[in-house]
Amino acid sequence: MPKILIFGTGGVGCIYGFILSQAGCSVTTVCRSNFTAVRDNGITVRSKIFGNASYRPTAVQTVRQALENGPFDYVVVTAKAFPGTANLIKEAVAPSTTIVLGQNGIGGEKEYAELYPDNVLIVGVVYLPVTQVEPGVVEHGPLERFEIGTYPPDASPDAKERCRELSDLFRAGGGSAPVFDDIQPQRWFKLAVNAAWNPATALTMCDDANYLRSSPKAEDVIRKIMKDVGEIATAAGYPDAVTDQGIEHDLQRPKGRLDTGGKEPSMLTDVRNGRATEVEAILGNALKIGEERGVETPYLELIYTLAKGRDYAIAPDERWKPIARHG
């Protein structure tokens, strides 16, 4: 029975824990605010794919507490992609542990590769509309796809086999985890989507459909941000990752929700709840890659700067000053 540690038991972590438990794995989840609910009642899943179900992982509050259930075959990281997250799982990473990243953004895998050079590292692209509506209760929409591949792409045959084994576990649990020999093109395209929609909705406080309704220029701004990311991907060696055809195809999804109701990207959810956002993972890392390669990305640079300001207002440091009042 494979032993799994889920680090980050939000909506994505809850669903991936469910899939892996259905595959017969022993699942331990590191919880934060939902710890008591998960410990006492397990996790309830309301899904358009899996139906209404529940499961009871072993809930812990810290990685250290999880160690009595190890050693772990897989540590699945579904926590927010903040700098320094890689160090938080250190105690749970044994020599044989495979690390699986189910996080937003680009470039964050380098931190894990540097800290754990001898461990197999699998990077994933998450397509999973899910919301934790109350502690330990998640609602999941009609899509579940976890595209995975090794990092680096030319990893050893043993690493490639571990990736296929993880895909098999997802399939056994009713999920979908297709394996790509090089996952980076998929990551660049998902990044283009996230880099456009996440900050645009977070800054305007509109879901995606209402953002499109807000201005005749709204759609084209999304398109231009995605194209900026595509220019960086091209400079990074992936010219076919973000194409005009792919951009137009993706735009049909939010446009199709204009007659129904929109979706709320994760950055908008974070802003609504007063939480720090993944501005560096989703925007900053790509911008740095572009600057290193001499790529001009005016729309990405602008949206990054504004998103940084929004994030700073949520989590100010000691430099923050109150508004000057006169009179």
Side-chain angles (χ1 to χ4, degrees), residues 174-214:
S176 172
V179 176
F180 291 80
D181 192 53
D182 186 350
I183 192 64
Q184 293 305 312
Q186 283 68 35
R187 284 173 62 74
W188 277 109
F189 185 78
K190 181 65 183 296
L191 179 73
V193 174
N194 281 337
W197 285 106
N198 268 281
T201 56
L203 290 167
T204 61
M205 301 298 285
C206 294
D207 60 59
D208 57 1
N210 280 320
Y211 167 77
L212 288 176
R213 293 186 186 100
S214 70

Side-chain angles (χ1 to χ4, degrees), residues 128-147:
L128 192 73
V130 60
T131 303
Q132 188 163 198
V133 294
E134 59 182 274
V137 179
V138 295
E139 293 184 351
H140 169 226
L143 175 64
E144 183 280 312
R145 182 177 171 88
F146 188 33
E147 299 174 343

Side-chain angles (χ1 to χ4, degrees), residues 9-39:
T9 314
V12 174
C14 286
I15 293 293
Y16 286 173
F18 171 75
I19 291 171
L20 292 167
S21 70
Q22 291 294 105
C25 298
S26 170
V27 177
T28 301
T29 59
V30 179
C31 303
R32 295 179 65 185
S33 60
N34 59 357
F35 167 71
T36 300
V38 175
R39 180 196 62 191

Side-chain angles (χ1 to χ4, degrees), residues 93-138:
V93 179
S96 61
T97 300
T98 294
I99 301 168
V100 183
L101 304 184
Q103 297 178 298
N104 285 325
I106 201 83
E109 60 268 33
K110 292 181 180 179
E111 182 181 0
Y112 291 84
E114 290 171 359
L115 274 174
Y116 312 106
D118 298 324
N119 291 85
V120 174
L121 180 57
I122 296 172
V123 179
V125 180
V126 177
Y127 290 97
L128 192 73
V130 60
T131 303
Q132 188 163 198
V133 294
E134 59 182 274
V137 179
V138 295

Side-chain angles (χ1 to χ4, degrees), residues 58-82:
T58 300
V60 298
Q61 290 178 291
T62 67
V63 170
R64 180 163 293 179
Q65 291 172 356
L67 297 182
E68 64 183 60
N69 300 310
F72 296 103
D73 298 290
Y74 295 91
V75 173
V76 181
V77 182
T78 51
K80 293 287 186 180
F82 294 132

Side-chain angles (χ1 to χ4, degrees), residues 244-260:
D244 289 348
Q245 182 180 6
I247 291 171
E248 297 308 318
H249 181 267
D250 188 77
L251 279 168
Q252 297 311 306
R253 291 191 296 173
K255 288 167 72 174
R257 291 191 279 268
L258 286 170
D259 294 329
T260 54

